[in-house]
Amino acid sequence: MPKVTTSDLNEAQYRAVFHRGSPLLVLAGAGSGKTRVITERIAALVERDVPDDAITSVTFTNKAAREMRERLASRLGERAKRLRICTFHALGLAIVREDAHLVGCKTNLSIFAGAEQRSCMRSVLQDMKLPSDNDQVDRLISRVSMLKNGMLDGADGAGDGALTRIRERYDALLRKMNAVDFDDLMVLPIQMLSEHDGIRARWQARTRHFLVDEYQDSSRVQYELVRLLVPDNGNLTVVGDDDQSIYGWRGAEVKNLFQLERDYPTLTVIRLEENYRSTGMILNAANSLIANNSERLGKTLRSNLGEGKSVRVWESPNPEEEGERIAGDIRTQRAVSGPSVSTNVTHSGMNASGGLKWDDFAVLYRASYQSRPIEMALRAANIPYHVSGGLSFFDRAEIQDTLAYLRLITNFADDLAFMRAISKPRRGIGDKALGDIANFAQQHRCSLLEACLDEKLDHRLSHTLREFGDMIVGLEHMFIHGEPDDAFDALMDRSLLIAAIENESADEKESERRLGNVHELRRWWLTHAEQDGSLADFLQKVFLLADREDDDPSGQVRLMTVHAAKGLEFAQVYVVGMEDGSFPHRSAIEENRMEEERRLMYVAMTRARFRLTLSRARVRSRFGQKEKTAPSPFLKEPDQETLWWVDRDKDSEEAQEEVVDSMAAMLARLEAAAQAK
């Protein structure tokens, strides 16, 4: 096993990797190599012969956990597979599953999100004779989530404790179906660890070395879970950046970083301030902006890439011209950096012999609606682009339908899965028949599937319903005892899902695309089954994929919100909508949340490696009316020596460089056209 290589660790990174003897907070600035530090620290623990089962590392997204596992696999080989590297929710699921009976569940529990949660909440509200329209359902799901996470009390303006009663009915319905939601994956482990000393001792042994990445994104309940797992003098390592805490709207509390020093009195703090991503001008602008926040532990990033170019500030007449300007600049920058230009100097950090690729560019915005004029301009310029945040693979109807069958096969109590499965295709079972079987199940205190198999079921309903029930039981047997591929293929054949997809599709192309999605799900199942994983394990893994991952965006300009860009980096970044009321957002100004908005701006700026452009439109439409805009205060706060207001200073040296760039781009296009002839 290779030992940790220290030659390319800077002093602060080295101290963080090999620290011993007290809880540790690593304040890791943007681009400072925090992922390397946390993975090398885990590797160092393994190389000290710390037992694999005593090391647990958690982060917030499946993508981040996967990246950490991949890095450790390249460092440690097979031994890395035995380490517990997961998300907070996956850890919570593991705790719940091991002693599920204590919270009224079985180990093969379902995880409800999205449509399943809405169906449960609607059922609860209807039983309580309360309004159950879509807006009310979504509002109450959100408020129950906030209640579970300790973000508000149970009074909701509908009478004292009304929200608490709704939550109790909602939770009871979940347990009846042997299900939990994502909030339960934090709340239930806390309950179990608090009430059962044996369970807490067992998991404290498994987290004897507990490492938390992206700690600034932790919520109140997640910190409570950390406190239960790691005693005051325990081996806790948290890596985070108070300047990048941008998820307050979903429960993240930057105060958790400050609370550490009070709860862990021997805490050691190490700051990673050497930045390997961005040039000096970009970092100086970002540093001077974030210095205006009072709620921070404080650090100053230093670049090791040289000074670089000033941060450009653009002012365009309207969003349409803003988009056209960005599209034109992307084409110019690509042409200037491309191999057609006969020069050996580097431009924007790229060697001219290599050139910039489309996916070296990103356009960031505060709200997703701001992408439309950018998209139109990129289309007109024939520039390939990818908008992050499209429809998730798991939200597609054909995937939801297939998963409903799989959920029902592994959990007969999942009535929501039953209702979706039996209606895809409908099988001639009408609403009255479904209502009758629901009444039968309620009277006999059983699930809908169990009702289908009950000999006492009304003979008028029994034949078709028993056929369906027998099919599910037969498929369960195949998934347990048969070959994984045969079981999946039998499901698609016997359920008539393939025929349903073909019949519902508008044309052959759509049918092929939708069936291709199902085949992709089949491939994932077979890969999982090859590792002796059960169907219940597979489904729980699928439903833990809460961080919706986009299709492959390679080879395209990236368009995304600043929130979606966190953790990414690009050679050239354009931040649009730099107007007061847009960024910072109007609601944040009204609600006195400027510090989080400033952190969001800091994240946007530090995504750029070599060239950062901040752009505003002087007129923008609001509620169908054109309004004049004021510049964002975030254009005034950075050190003005780091900014180049392009439209105000057209005679500067940098403006002349821009002219040269444009001429070079034109020459490159002419040369390419000549070669094409």
Side-chain angles (χ1 to χ4, degrees):
M1 182 189 305
K3 291 290 183 183
V4 174
T5 303
T6 61
S7 58
D8 53 351
L9 293 175
N10 63 42
E11 180 190 353
Q13 290 174 332
Y14 183 90
R15 287 191 291 117
V17 167
F18 294 103
H19 172 80
R20 298 174 71 170
S22 67
L24 174 66
L25 165 60
V26 181
L27 272 181
S32 63
K34 73 172 182 63
T35 305
R36 172 169 171 73
V37 164
I38 199 167
T39 52
E40 290 291 5
R41 182 161 173 77
I42 295 170
L45 291 172
V46 171
E47 289 163 353
R48 276 171 39 200
D49 293 324
V50 173
D52 300 334
D53 196 44
I55 301 172
T56 299
S57 180
V58 295
T59 186
F60 287 83
T61 66
N62 293 286
K63 181 179 179 182
R66 184 170 62 248
E67 180 184 352
M68 196 180 298
R69 283 194 294 268
E70 289 170 353
R71 290 197 185 200
L72 284 165
S74 67
R75 284 280 288 105
L76 302 173
E78 287 296 311
R79 190 169 179 182
K81 294 180 180 178
R82 301 196 292 271
L83 298 172
R84 190 177 293 103
I85 312 290
C86 60
T87 64
F88 260 110
H89 287 98
L91 177 63
L93 175 61
I95 295 172
V96 171
R97 280 188 62 181
E98 197 163 286
D99 295 280
H101 65 282
L102 295 175
V103 290
C105 293
K106 301 174 184 176
T107 57
N108 63 333
L109 54 86
S110 295
I111 302 171
F112 282 2
E116 294 83 14
Q117 277 186 288
R118 292 187 190 94
S119 294
C120 280
M121 182 59 74
R122 182 169 286 108
S123 177
V124 166
L125 295 177
Q126 288 171 348
D127 285 348
M128 297 178 73
K129 295 183 170 47
L130 295 172
S132 58
D133 57 90
N134 291 339
D135 289 344
Q136 179 76 338
V137 166
D138 288 342
R139 188 181 79 87
L140 283 169
I141 287 173
S142 173
R143 295 192 73 76
V144 166
S145 175
M146 293 172 72
L147 181 61
K148 289 186 178 187
N149 284 281
M151 296 169 67
L152 77 170
D153 60 32
D156 191 40
D160 186 38
L163 188 59
T164 298
R165 291 195 296 276
I166 290 171
R167 173 194 171 171
E168 288 170 352
R169 297 279 288 270
Y170 167 79
D171 284 344
L173 183 55
L174 287 179
R175 300 302 172 267
K176 177 179 177 291
M177 291 188 278
N178 188 32
V180 296
D181 62 20
F182 274 91
D183 295 313
D184 290 331
L185 295 181
M186 289 291 96
V187 174
L188 294 179
I190 289 171
Q191 176 186 327
M192 295 165 75
L193 294 170
S194 300
E195 296 176 357
H196 302 278
D197 294 343
I199 295 175
R200 185 167 65 254
R202 187 194 318 149
W203 279 98
Q204 283 184 345
R206 294 169 180 172
T207 57
R208 184 155 60 85
H209 290 271
F210 194 39
L211 302 95
V212 185
D213 194 13
E214 300 287 5
Y215 184 72
Q216 75 281 344
D217 294 338
S218 63
S219 67
R220 185 179 307 176
V221 292
Q222 286 162 341
Y223 183 55
E224 191 175 344
L225 182 64
V226 171
R227 291 286 293 135
L228 284 166
L229 290 171
V230 187
D232 297 356
N233 59 347
N235 296 303
L236 174 66
T237 300
V238 301
V239 182
D241 183 2
D242 50 334
D243 292 334
Q244 295 190 75
S245 180
I246 60 173
Y247 296 114
W249 49 276
R250 70 182 189 197
E253 295 195 10
V254 70
K255 292 178 181 177
N256 288 347
L257 278 167
F258 312 134
Q259 188 65 32
L260 278 170
E261 290 188 294
R262 295 194 272 282
D263 291 337
Y264 294 90
T266 61
L267 184 76
T268 297
V269 180
I270 296 175
R271 288 170 167 80
L272 303 184
E273 297 178 306
E274 188 168 350
N275 177 281
Y276 296 90
R277 175 190 299 157
S278 305
T279 59
M281 281 289 195
I282 293 171
L283 288 185
N284 291 341
N287 286 336
S288 53
L289 171 101
I290 200 64
N292 289 277
N293 270 10
S294 58
E295 196 175 59
R296 62 191 298 257
L297 293 168
K299 63 184 172 308
T300 302
L301 296 183
R302 304 180 301 274
S303 173
N304 69 351
L305 298 180
E307 184 178 83
K309 296 192 174 187
S310 299
V311 175
R312 292 187 298 185
V313 180
W314 285 350
E315 294 181 306
S316 300
N318 53 56
E320 290 70 32
E321 292 192 40
E322 180 182 50
E324 291 168 7
R325 188 172 190 175
I326 288 170
D329 193 66
I330 289 173
R331 280 218 169 271
T332 297
Q333 298 296 331
R334 278 195 88 236
V336 169
S337 69
S340 299
V341 183
S342 56
T343 175
N344 292 320
V345 299
T346 58
H347 177 84
S348 294
M350 302 292 291
N351 190 282
S353 63
L356 288 164
K357 304 183 294 296
W358 292 121
D359 52 13
D360 287 318
F361 298 88
V363 183
L364 309 183
Y365 31 80
R366 177 63 181 82
S368 56
Y369 72 86
Q370 294 172 307
S371 72
R372 293 171 195 146
I374 309 297
E375 286 190 70
M376 291 173 63
L378 294 178
R379 281 176 182 266
N382 199 28
I383 294 174
Y385 68 90
H386 177 274
V387 181
S388 296
L391 186 65
S392 163
F393 176 82
F394 298 106
D395 285 338
R396 295 181 169 111
E398 61 273 14
I399 299 301
Q400 287 281 313
D401 294 339
T402 308
L403 288 174
Y405 277 92
L406 293 172
R407 283 166 43 204
L408 187 58
I409 288 166
T410 192
N411 179 9
F412 287 2
D414 192 338
D415 287 349
L416 292 182
F418 175 93
M419 292 299 290
R420 183 159 191 142
I422 204 165
S423 64
K424 282 291 180 173
R426 196 60 185 257
R427 307 170 197 283
I429 301 173
D431 291 338
K432 184 179 185 306
L434 290 175
D436 289 343
I437 194 172
N439 291 334
F440 180 92
Q442 188 172 8
Q443 290 168 9
H444 291 80
R445 297 182 179 278
C446 64
S447 71
L448 295 175
L449 183 65
E450 289 166 340
C452 289
L453 302 169
D454 197 305
E455 295 292 337
K456 298 188 289 293
L457 187 66
D458 189 319
H459 67 88
R460 292 172 301 166
L461 304 172
S462 60
H463 179 68
T464 305
L465 292 170
R466 185 163 288 112
E467 260 188 2
F468 179 80
D470 288 341
M471 175 187 70
I472 297 299
V473 171
L475 288 169
E476 180 203 30
H477 182 84
M478 286 196 70
F479 272 96
I480 293 173
H481 301 290
E483 294 297 321
D485 53 347
D486 292 340
F488 194 98
D489 293 342
L491 161 65
M492 298 306 297
D493 180 45
R494 296 181 192 179
S495 67
L496 305 178
L497 272 176
I498 291 178
I501 291 171
E502 290 173 340
N503 292 335
E504 290 173 0
S505 299
D507 51 40
E508 187 176 343
K509 187 175 180 181
E510 182 187 349
S511 175
E512 288 178 2
R513 177 183 59 77
R514 296 183 67 196
L515 289 172
N517 290 334
V518 175
H519 287 312
E520 180 66 8
L521 184 68
R522 178 184 186 273
R523 183 183 68 79
W524 286 353
W525 154 242
L526 295 182
T527 300
H528 175 84
E530 284 173 6
Q531 301 167 1
D532 297 323
S534 69
L535 180 58
D537 289 340
F538 173 71
L539 290 173
Q540 288 168 358
K541 182 184 293 185
V542 164
F543 284 101
L544 280 174
L545 293 175
D547 55 321
R548 310 293 175 84
E549 295 177 16
D550 294 312
D551 297 330
D552 181 14
S554 60
Q556 303 171 77
V557 175
R558 300 287 298 276
L559 274 61
M560 65 184 77
T561 64
V562 182
H563 282 101
K566 187 169 177 289
L568 304 177
E569 59 181 59
F570 305 92
Q572 303 215 22
V573 170
Y574 305 83
V575 184
V576 303
M578 293 299 302
E579 301 110 28
D580 196 15
S582 291
F583 200 176
H585 197 276
R586 182 174 275 101
S587 64
I589 298 171
E590 293 169 352
E591 296 167 14
N592 196 28
R593 292 188 286 107
M594 279 294 289
E595 295 223 344
E596 181 162 327
E597 287 291 295
R598 192 173 287 111
R599 291 195 292 267
L600 192 60
M601 184 64 201
Y602 176 83
V603 167
M605 296 172 78
T606 53
R607 298 313 91 198
R609 300 190 65 205
F610 304 108
R611 174 65 105 176
L612 173 63
T613 303
L614 310 178
S615 175
R616 66 170 289 251
R618 288 190 284 270
V619 173
R620 197 172 289 273
S621 294
R622 177 172 161 79
F623 303 122
Q625 301 293 321
K626 290 184 178 180
E627 293 182 357
K628 289 185 178 180
T629 67
S632 166
F634 297 154
L635 293 176
K636 303 171 185 175
E637 292 180 354
D639 178 358
Q640 295 298 300
E641 293 296 318
T642 65
L643 305 184
W644 170 35
W645 293 73
V646 178
D647 303 292
R648 299 181 187 175
D649 187 7
K650 297 183 178 179
D651 299 321
S652 70
E653 185 177 332
E654 289 187 272
Q656 298 303 317
E657 286 184 26
E658 200 97 332
V659 172
V660 171
D661 286 351
S662 298
M663 292 176 63
M666 182 181 66
L667 291 171
R669 288 195 293 271
L670 290 172
E671 187 176 325
Q675 289 176 353
K677 290 181 180 179

